[in-house]
Structures are given as structure tokens and as C-alpha cells.
């Protein structure tokens, strides 16, 4: 899911929108700032969480 150019839409058709870079860029920014994150399946879809810790 966080790999560059990975698209959740099964046809992989660029005409349906997106380049597949969004979550990859988010992951890179979060890791550069040492933030924890989590991706988990739910009954309604997928939940993406970012943990902001104050040190």
C-alpha cells in the first residue's frame, strides 16, 4: 500500500485518477519526522492513524 505507484483500484487505469504516489509521500514525510503510523482494516474500510508524541 505504501509502495510507489501502487494503486488500490484494481484496473490500475490512470484515467480513474491518481498516480499511486500519495501514501508513499506521506510515509516518507512521517518517517523523516519520526512519527509512528498504522494502517488497519475495519468493517467499513481502512483506517490510517498517525501517532503524534510529545517528547
Amino acid at each position: 500500500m505504501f509502495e510507489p505507484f501502487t494503486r488500490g483500484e484494481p484496473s490500475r487505469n490512470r484515467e480513474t485518477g491518481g498516480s499511486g504516489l500519495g501514501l508513499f509521500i506521506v510515509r516518507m514525510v512521517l518517517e523523516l519526522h519520526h512519527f509512528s503510523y498504522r494502517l488497519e482494516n475495519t468493517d467499513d474500510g481502512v483506517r490510517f492513524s498517525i501517532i503524534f508524541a510529545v517528547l
Side-chain angles (χ1 to χ4, degrees):
M1 191 63 105
F2 288 99
E3 295 300 315
F5 306 108
T6 299
R7 300 195 51 212
E9 200 270 313
S11 75
R12 309 288 191 255
N13 184 346
R14 291 200 60 194
E15 291 180 12
T16 59
S19 64
L21 287 174
L23 287 177
F24 174 72
I25 293 169
V26 168
R27 183 186 76 180
M28 298 306 295
V29 170
L30 293 174
E31 288 179 356
L32 284 170
H33 292 283
H34 304 286
F35 289 127
S36 298
Y37 58 91
R38 173 171 64 191
L39 189 67
E40 58 189 317
N41 289 322
T42 68
D43 292 336
D44 299 323
V46 177
R47 177 181 299 132
F48 179 75
S49 305
I50 303 171
I51 295 90
F52 296 97
V54 178
L55 302 176

